[in-house]
Amino acid sequence: MARLTKVQLADGRIVGLSPTQVRAVRAIRKAGTYYAYDGISRATVAALERHGLVTVKWSVLTWTARRTYRNRSMCDWVARPVRGA
C-alpha cells in the first residue's frame, strides 16, 4: 500500500494524499490549467476535487458509431488549482 502524505488544507482540515495525487497537484499548480489526456487519470482528478484542491469542469461527448449504431461516450475535463488551497 502506498504511503500517504498528510497535507493541511486552507480550511484547517488534514487529508492524506497518495504520491500520485501529490504529483498531480504539483503538475496542475505548475501548468495553471490541466486538460484530460495530459497524463492524470479521472480518478485522481476526482479525488483532488473532493478534497477541494482543484476545480474541475466535466463534460461528456456522446456520438453514434456509423456502422454499428452504438452510442459511444468520451469524458473530458479541465482542472484548475484552487487559490489558497
Side-chain angles (χ1 to χ4, degrees):
M1 186 168 149
R3 189 167 183 89
L4 297 179
T5 302
K6 298 293 182 180
V7 177
Q8 184 170 7
L9 303 178
D11 60 359
R13 291 182 296 140
I14 296 177
V15 295
L17 298 179
S18 70
T20 304
Q21 292 170 345
V22 172
R23 286 192 305 270
V25 168
R26 288 181 183 153
I28 292 170
R29 285 182 181 164
K30 183 178 177 183
T33 300
Y34 215 84
Y35 297 95
Y37 313 111
D38 282 345
I40 298 176
S41 69
R42 286 187 315 218
T44 301
V45 169
L48 296 177
E49 184 180 29
R50 278 194 307 272
H51 291 307
L53 295 170
V54 297
T55 57
V56 181
K57 180 183 174 195
W58 297 93
S59 63
V60 177
L61 175 66
T62 304
W63 69 93
T64 303
R66 292 174 63 185
R67 294 179 189 228
T68 61
Y69 296 105
R70 289 187 173 192
N71 290 333
R72 304 291 183 198
S73 297
M74 180 174 67
C75 180
D76 272 341
W77 52 264
V78 177
R80 293 185 177 87
V82 172
R83 293 184 186 257

